[in-house]
Amino acid sequence: MSGPDISVVIPAYNEEDSIEECLRQTSSVLDSIGLSYEICVVDDASSDRTFARLKGIRKNLPQLRALRLRTNRGQSAALDAGFRHAAGNVVVTMDADLQNDPADIPKLLAATEEYDVVCGVRKNRRDNLVRRGSSRIANCVRNRLTNENIQDVGCSLRAMKREFLVRLKLYDGMHRFLPTLLKMEGAKVTEIPVNHRPRRRGKTKYNIRNRLFRGVRDLIAVRWMRRRWIRYEVEEEI
Ligand code: UDP
Ligand code: MG
């Protein structure tokens, strides 16, 4: 049996107040495109009623698939679980908190005609000054040290061909390096501007400590991976 055209993967950790509206907006955009789809929400062991909400929503949204992880393992783990369950040819990722705008999905999908991976760039970023400032520095350092030119690795809204995603072995924190890892797998990557909205409900799961310091260690790891990546072509075979 072949999968749907599109799988939307949404990691959610304590997003009981956003998830319903997030799924309503997402399914209404996807219904308007006319392609087959599934929405796979990965509940990263929320301690609130996120999963109970998902069970309720599923009654009216058969395209919804929901997984619940046993313990909270972080955004990369939740994405990985989603990628393994996703059956669509193109996988779209976004956050559960409505900061990404599902209205951008058709634009991302259109760009997958030409590219394997399409990453959103948050144009009018609606986070506080400290977050915006630290992201700017982090993007700059990350690009320098990994010899990259990705403008906004923190934007979760992306569309990626599944054939490239299934090749990845993710580690904790690696969601910030997905474009780089996918390029290493040979994907043709582009970036397009997307909308960004303030978080109105629930709380951010990140702060300077768990973003900056961990990010630096992850950066060193990815730099090493890039340098030691094995590239070769078989020239002849008899
Ligand atoms: N998230 C998750 N597990 C975690 C932390 C975050 O699944 O341990 C999800 C979270 O629910 C949200 C997305 O990852 O859907 C991004 O998190 P958040 O909005 O807190 O990040 P920010 O937008 O503040 O960078
Ligand atoms: Mg957010």
Side-chain angles (χ1 to χ4, degrees), residues 8 26 29-30 33 92 94 101-110 157:
V8 179
T26 307
V29 169
L30 292 167
I33 308 178
V92 173
M94 56 180 232
D101 187 349
D104 286 315
I105 293 176
K107 198 162 68 172
L108 296 180
L109 292 176
L157 187 59

Side-chain angles (χ1 to χ4, degrees), residues 3-237:
D5 298 319
I6 304 157
S7 297
V8 179
V9 171
I10 305 177
Y13 179 48
N14 291 345
E15 305 285 4
E16 63 179 358
D17 294 326
S18 312
I19 195 69
E20 198 160 352
E21 177 61 14
C22 172
L23 290 171
R24 199 194 57 72
Q25 292 185 12
T26 307
S27 56
S28 109
V29 169
L30 292 167
D31 285 338
S32 72
I33 308 178
L35 294 171
S36 59
Y37 69 89
E38 63 178 0
I39 305 177
C40 180
V41 179
V42 183
D43 175 0
D44 190 10
S46 297
S47 52
D48 68 359
R49 294 184 48 78
T50 298
F51 204 70
R53 293 267 152 83
L54 290 167
K55 283 183 180 162
I57 301 164
R58 200 175 132 82
K59 292 185 186 130
N60 298 315
L61 184 64
Q63 295 93 333
L64 175 64
R65 299 173 70 199
L67 318 174
R68 177 168 162 83
L69 304 189
R70 197 179 298 277
T71 43
N72 177 247
R73 291 295 179 189
Q75 202 175 334
S76 289
L79 282 170
D80 187 75
F83 293 162
R84 283 165 198 275
H85 272 75
N89 296 328
V90 175
V91 176
V92 173
T93 53
M94 56 180 232
D95 291 344
D97 59 0
L98 288 160
Q99 289 205 262
N100 300 129
D101 187 349
D104 286 315
I105 293 176
K107 198 162 68 172
L108 296 180
L109 292 176
T112 60
E113 302 275 320
E114 200 182 328
Y115 294 92
D116 305 311
V117 172
V118 185
C119 305
V121 179
R122 296 167 290 184
K123 273 304 164 200
N124 294 304
R125 183 135 172 226
R126 304 292 294 275
D127 283 316
N128 66 36
L129 200 67
V130 175
R131 290 290 296 267
R132 296 202 310 267
S134 57
S135 284
R136 181 171 292 191
I137 297 168
N139 276 320
C140 211
V141 174
R142 192 179 287 118
N143 280 334
R144 262 272 173 89
L145 293 185
T146 53
N147 196 16
E148 264 293 0
N149 54 356
I150 303 288
Q151 295 173 58
D152 186 11
V153 289
C155 181
S156 306
L157 187 59
R158 300 183 177 118
M160 300 163 282
K161 292 198 181 140
R162 203 174 68 95
E163 59 185 279
F164 290 94
L165 280 179
V166 294
R167 297 186 203 162
L168 296 182
K169 173 77 190 92
L170 285 187
Y171 293 84
D172 190 21
M174 288 293 123
H175 62 275
R176 296 198 183 85
F177 296 90
L178 274 179
T180 299
L181 300 175
L182 289 161
K183 270 189 196 172
M184 281 156 56
E185 297 293 348
K188 205 170 142 197
V189 179
T190 191
E191 295 177 289
I192 59 174
V194 293
N195 191 16
H196 192 240
R197 309 185 285 195
R199 186 190 252 279
R200 297 208 189 278
R201 300 180 200 126
K203 289 197 201 95
T204 175
K205 311 302 174 310
Y206 299 105
N207 52 43
I208 288 275
R209 204 165 34 129
N210 68 12
R211 266 180 4 132
L212 182 66
F213 297 116
R214 295 222 17 204
V216 170
R217 271 185 288 157
D218 295 344
L219 176 59
I220 293 166
V222 173
R223 184 178 151 90
W224 178 87
M225 282 165 70
R226 259 200 97 149
R227 287 196 165 171
R228 299 292 173 91
W229 188 251
I230 296 172
R231 290 176 197 83
Y232 59 85
E233 283 169 48
V234 175
E235 190 184 57
E236 244 179 89
E237 192 184 332

